[in-house]
């Protein structure tokens, strides 16, 4: 069960994962050792899954962000497994969700340019035996960046 201090600690770490125990203690009105123990407990209990760096896709030459809906023609376990393996093997596919509604999967992709996105769709996704069709949407602008989870 999370208390108010835990939720404030999680919110602070989502904004800046580099905060030291001392910096957390000042924000939470705790001792540094208490703040450090709380952080360790939240890590051990799985509330904090990992610490990562958020990179700028444009600086990395990834000029096209898109969402791709994938519709399967067949839903057998072997096709689902091989499709999952394909998703895991492709670096430009940064996240994959199974969906309710018309599409079976929603992919978030980052590519260098439109020809790269075209190759991903026509040379990687569509040739998969379970894929019936795809529908892509290119991001024009991101009005709100990926933010922290509500705590």
């Amino acid at each position: 069960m999370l208390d108010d201090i835990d939720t404030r600690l999680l919110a602070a770490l989502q904004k800046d994962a580099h905060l030291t125990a001392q910096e957390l203690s000042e924000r939470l009105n705790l001792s540094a050792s208490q703040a450090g123990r709380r952080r360790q407990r939240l890590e051990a209990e799985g509330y904090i899954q990992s610490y990562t760096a958020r990179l700028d896709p444009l600086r990395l030459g990834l000029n096209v962000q898109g969402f791709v809906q994938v519709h399967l023609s067949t839903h057998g376990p072997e096709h689902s497994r091989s499709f999952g393996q394909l998703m895991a093997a492709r670096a430009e596919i940064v996240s994959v969700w199974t969906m309710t509604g018309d599409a079976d999967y929603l992919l978030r992709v980052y590519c260098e340019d439109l020809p790269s996105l075209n190759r991903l769709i026509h040379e990687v996704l569509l040739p998969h035996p379970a894929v019936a069709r795809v529908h892509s949407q290119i991001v024009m602008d991101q009005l709100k960046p990926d933010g922290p989870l509500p705590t």
Side-chain angles (χ1 to χ4, degrees), residues 4-137:
D4 179 61
I5 295 172
D6 290 333
T7 58
R8 289 177 25 229
L9 185 146
L10 292 172
L13 288 175
Q14 283 191 95
K15 291 178 183 165
D16 183 358
H18 285 104
L19 291 174
T20 65
Q22 181 61 43
E23 291 167 328
L24 283 170
S25 74
E26 292 167 5
R27 291 179 188 211
L28 302 173
N29 296 321
L30 297 173
S31 70
S33 61
Q34 288 174 315
R37 282 194 300 274
R38 279 184 180 258
R39 179 186 216 160
Q40 288 174 338
R41 178 180 55 79
L42 293 168
E43 290 170 350
E45 292 176 359
Y47 289 98
I48 300 171
Q49 295 180 342
S50 67
Y51 297 94
T52 60
R54 187 170 296 178
L55 306 179
D56 182 338
L58 296 176
R59 301 276 306 200
L60 296 171
L62 301 170
N63 299 303
V64 175
Q65 178 184 183
F67 291 93
V68 179
Q69 295 176 9
V70 178
H71 306 262
L72 299 183
S73 59
T74 181
H75 294 85
E78 183 55 40
H79 284 113
S80 295
R81 188 173 21 265
S82 71
F83 186 77
Q85 291 169 341
L86 177 64
M87 297 300 94
R90 301 301 302 205
E92 67 267 58
I93 301 171
V94 298
S95 52
V96 179
W97 298 274
T98 57
M99 306 295 291
T100 61
D102 189 38
D104 296 297
Y105 295 95
L106 178 64
L107 287 53
R108 184 179 189 184
V109 302
Y110 283 91
C111 297
E112 291 179 12
D113 50 27
L114 289 175
S116 298
L117 177 60
N118 188 54
R119 282 191 299 279
L120 174 66
I121 290 169
H122 291 281
E123 296 175 15
V124 176
L125 297 175
L126 286 172
H128 189 278
V131 173
R133 69 184 196 281
V134 301
H135 176 79
S136 62
Q137 298 169 300

